[in-house]
C-alpha cells in the first residue's frame, strides 16, 4: 500500500477546491421531481461523508464496497444477520470478549451455533466441520494471547466447502493485511481502534468484494440502521491519513518493548506476534497487578487499543469480563495477564515507565 494513497485518502474534488472533506449533516436530500434523485435520499441509506469514507476504505482493502457502522460490534451484528437458525460458525477460541458475548446471545436467542476452535491447529478445524457449518470467523492475531493464524489454508478450505471466511482484522488493518485480496469473503474492523487511531470515535466497518454480498449488506445496513454518523465518518477518514505512520511507530515501539520485557525480572512470559503495537505480558506471581496499574504514568490504565497513547488493559475484568471464569482460565486469561496497546510516544518513556511501575508493584514493596 502506498503511503501517498493514505496521506491523500478520499481527498475532495468539489468545485470549492477544499482539501478537507465537507461534513454533510443533512439527513434528507431534495429531489428535482418524481423519480429523480442525486443519488442521496436519506442519510441512513446513504450519506456523502459516509460514502466518501466507505469508497476510500473499500479501495484500500481491495473490496467492492464497505459499510461503516456505529461500532465494531454493530459490524459484527451486521455480519451475523446473514445467518439462519441451525447454521453453524467455527470461531477463534481466543476471541474478543464482546464478540463472545454477542455470539452467546445469538446462540440462545436464535439457535445459531458457534463452535470454538483453535485455528492454529488445522486438524482440529477439519474435525469440527459439520453439514451445518456455514462460515469461519477468525481473528488473525488472537486477543489477548497474540497467536498469529496462517489464513491461507482456510481460504482454500472455505472454497472447497462453500463456507464464508470472515476476518476480524481490527489488530492488523489494511496497512498490514488485506485478506480480501487473498481469498477472504468478509473483512470487518472495529474502526474505534487503529483506523480512527485517536481514541475519539466509536465505529466499525465491513468490507466485501462479492456482488451478492454487496447487495445483501446494502439491504441489511440500511434496514438495521446502525450506520455511522457523518461526523464520525469524517473522523475515521482523517485518522486513516496517518495510519502508516502510527502503525510503523507503534510496531517499532512494541518490538523493542517485547525484546526488553523478555529480560525483565517481574515478567513470566511476553506474548507478541511480531506485528502491530499489541503486546500481552504474563506477570510473575509476586507482581501485584493492582499496584502496577496504579503506578504506571505514561501507560494509561484504560480499555481500548490502537490509539496514539499507550494503554494498559486487564483482560480478566475488562475486555473479557463476560466470559465465565472457567472459559477464561482455559484460555490462559488469568489474573496475571495484562495487555498493552503500545502508542507512538518516545520508546524510552514507555520502557522506563513500565520498569518503574514493575519495581513498585512487587509484593512486599511498601509505597
Ligand atoms: C474492540 C473490538 C471489537 C468491538 O468493537 P467496538 O468498536 O468496541 O464495538 C471487535 N473486535 C475486536 C478484535 C476488538 O478489539
Amino acid at each position: 500500500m502506498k503511503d501517498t494513497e493514505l496521506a491523500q485518502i478520499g481527498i475532495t474534488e468539489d468545485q470549492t477546491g477544499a482539501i478537507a472533506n465537507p461534513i454533510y449533516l443533512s439527513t434528507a436530500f431534495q429531489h428535482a421531481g418524481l423519480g429523480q434523485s442525486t443519488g442521496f435520499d436519506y442519510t441512513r441509506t446513504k450519506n456523502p461523508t459516509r460514502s466518501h469514507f466507505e469508497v476510500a476504505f473499500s479501495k484500500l482493502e481491495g473490496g467492492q464496497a464497505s459499510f461503516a457502522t456505529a461500532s465494531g460490534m454493530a459490524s459484527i451484528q451486521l455480519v451475523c444477520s446473514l445467518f439462519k437458525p441451525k447454521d453453524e460458525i467455527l470461531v477463534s477460541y481466543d476471541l474478543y470478549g464482546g464478540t463472545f458475548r454477542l455470539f452467546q446471545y445469538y446462540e440462545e436467542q436464535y439457535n445459531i451455533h458457534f463452535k470454538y476452535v483453535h485455528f492454529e491447529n488445522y486438524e482440529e478445524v477439519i474435525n469440527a466441520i459439520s453439514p451445518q457449518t456455514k462460515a469461519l470467523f477468525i481473528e488473525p492475531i488472537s486477543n489477548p494471547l497474540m497467536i498469529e493464524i496462517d489464513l491461507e489454508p482456510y481460504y482454500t478450505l472455505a472454497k472447497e466447502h462453500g463456507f464464508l471466511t470472515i476476518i476480524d482484522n481490527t489488530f492488523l488493518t489494511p496497512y498490514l493485511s488485506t485478506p480480501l485480496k487473498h481469498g477472504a469473503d468478509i473483512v470487518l474492523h472495529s474502526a474505534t481502534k487503529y483506523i480512527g487511531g485517536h481514541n475519539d470515535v466509536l465505529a466499525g466497518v465491513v468490507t466485501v468484494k462479492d456482488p451478492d454480498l454487496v447487495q445483501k449488506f446494502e439491504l441489511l445496513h440500511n434496514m438495521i440502521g446502525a450506520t455511522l454518523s457523518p461526523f464520525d465518518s469524517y473522523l475515521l477518514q482523517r485518522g486513516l491519513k496517518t495510519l502508516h505512520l502510527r502503525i510503523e511507530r507503534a510496531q517499532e515501539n512494541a518490538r523493542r518493548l517485547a525484546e526488553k520485557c523478555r529480560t525483565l525480572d517481574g515478567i513470566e512470559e511476553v506474548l507478541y506476534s511480531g506485528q502491530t503495537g499489541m503486546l500481552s505480558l504474563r506477570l510473575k506471581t509476586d507482581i501485584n497487578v493492582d499496584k502496577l496499574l496504579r503506578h504506571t504514568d505514561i501507560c494509561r490504565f484504560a480499555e481500548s487499543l490502537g490509539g496514539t497513547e499507550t494503554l494498559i488493559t486487564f483482560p480478566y475484568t475488562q475486555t473479557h469480563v463476560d466470559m465465565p471464569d472457567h472459559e477464561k482460565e482455559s484460555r490462559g486469561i488469568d489474573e496475571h495477564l495484562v495487555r498493552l496497546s503500545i502508542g507512538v510516544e518516545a520508546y524510552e518513556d514507555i520502557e522506563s515507565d513500565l520498569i518503574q511501575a514493575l519495581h513498585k508493584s512487587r509484593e512486599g514493596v511498601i509505597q
Side-chain angles (χ1 to χ4, degrees):
M1 184 191 308
K2 294 178 193 70
D3 294 3
T4 311
E5 190 185 350
L6 280 169
Q8 303 206 354
I9 199 155
I11 210 163
T12 313
E13 285 180 19
D14 69 9
Q15 68 283 9
T16 68
I19 296 287
N21 284 333
I23 303 174
Y24 290 90
L25 294 173
S26 189
T27 52
F29 297 84
Q30 298 184 53
H31 308 297
L34 264 182
Q36 288 181 281
S37 167
T38 59
F40 297 96
D41 307 307
Y42 186 61
T43 273
R44 172 159 33 73
T45 318
K46 201 172 169 196
N47 170 280
T49 314
R50 194 171 71 235
S51 291
H52 232 106
F53 167 76
E54 289 170 335
V55 168
F57 195 78
S58 161
K59 189 160 167 253
L60 278 184
E61 291 268 42
Q64 271 304 312
S66 288
F67 302 89
T69 59
S71 68
M73 291 316 303
S75 279
I76 297 173
Q77 194 215 353
L78 191 63
V79 172
C80 281
S81 312
L82 294 173
F83 301 101
K84 296 192 298 292
K86 298 204 179 87
D87 282 353
E88 182 181 85
I89 303 165
L90 306 186
V91 182
S92 291
Y93 188 76
D94 181 24
L95 188 73
Y96 175 69
T99 310
F100 179 84
R101 178 173 55 193
L102 183 73
F103 287 174
Q104 263 198 324
Y105 178 77
Y106 268 78
E107 176 119 23
E108 284 160 21
Q109 197 74 10
Y110 302 117
N111 201 27
I112 297 170
H113 298 294
F114 298 90
K115 210 187 253 180
Y116 291 88
V117 293
H118 296 87
F119 283 104
E120 60 273 33
N121 182 345
Y122 187 72
E123 282 305 304
E124 182 188 326
V125 178
I126 297 282
N127 291 332
I129 293 170
S130 81
Q132 276 71 47
T133 308
K134 293 293 185 313
L136 311 176
F137 186 103
I138 309 176
E139 288 185 6
I141 293 185
S142 75
N143 175 13
L145 300 183
M146 311 302 161
I147 299 162
E148 190 161 13
I149 308 296
D150 178 12
L151 296 172
E152 293 293 333
Y154 296 110
Y155 298 146
T156 314
L157 185 74
K159 293 278 171 307
E160 277 169 22
H161 287 79
F163 305 151
L164 291 174
T165 39
I166 306 163
I167 309 296
D168 180 340
N169 209 35
T170 300
F171 278 25
L172 288 167
T173 81
Y175 181 67
L176 294 175
S177 162
T178 45
L180 288 177
K181 292 184 184 165
H182 301 278
D185 299 293
I186 301 173
V187 173
L188 66 92
H189 289 86
S190 165
T192 314
K193 317 293 169 56
Y194 283 108
I195 306 293
H198 296 77
N199 290 319
D200 61 1
V201 55
L202 189 76
V205 57
V206 177
T207 308
V208 291
K209 62 174 192 288
D210 173 73
D212 240 28
L213 285 172
V214 172
Q215 232 180 13
K216 276 187 188 158
F217 281 121
E218 268 168 4
L219 271 173
L220 290 166
H221 194 220
N222 179 48
M223 186 163 71
I224 295 170
T227 55
L228 193 64
S229 78
F231 188 70
D232 290 348
S233 301
Y234 173 82
L235 285 178
L236 281 193
Q237 193 196 333
R238 188 169 73 157
L240 267 184
K241 288 171 178 283
T242 54
L243 182 69
H244 51 310
L245 303 175
R246 291 185 286 105
I247 295 230
E248 286 294 345
R249 181 56 177 272
Q251 190 166 254
E252 186 195 325
N253 282 348
R255 281 181 184 152
R256 291 175 72 181
L257 193 68
E259 215 168 287
K260 180 73 186 178
C261 284
R262 292 198 172 97
T263 69
L264 294 180
D265 243 6
I267 295 168
E268 180 72 36
E269 194 185 1
V270 178
L271 304 153
Y272 182 54
S273 68
Q275 290 200 89
T276 86
M278 297 304 296
L279 167 77
S280 292
L281 302 174
R282 200 178 301 287
L283 304 169
K284 291 223 167 108
T285 49
D286 66 341
I287 298 290
N288 181 314
V289 176
D290 183 45
K291 277 194 196 170
L292 180 83
L293 297 173
R294 284 175 199 278
H295 285 297
T296 51
D297 192 16
I298 304 274
C299 308
R300 287 158 201 281
F301 174 34
E303 186 175 355
S304 193
L305 65 101
T308 53
E309 304 91 352
T310 296
L311 300 186
I312 180 163
T313 304
F314 185 49
Y316 195 79
T317 60
Q318 291 187 303
T319 52
H320 288 67
V321 65
D322 282 316
M323 197 175 263
D325 284 354
H326 67 275
E327 295 275 2
K328 281 192 281 207
E329 301 286 347
S330 74
R331 285 164 168 78
I333 302 165
D334 61 20
E335 290 171 88
H336 303 285
L337 188 76
V338 292
R339 189 190 75 181
L340 284 101
S341 167
I342 306 300
V344 300
E345 300 94 342
Y347 171 75
E348 293 73 19
D349 292 338
I350 304 170
E351 183 194 291
S352 59
D353 186 44
L354 188 66
I355 291 176
Q356 65 79 24
L358 276 169
H359 181 71
K360 289 179 186 157
S361 55
R362 267 184 204 294
E363 294 291 4
V365 172
I366 296 159
Q367 290 299 322

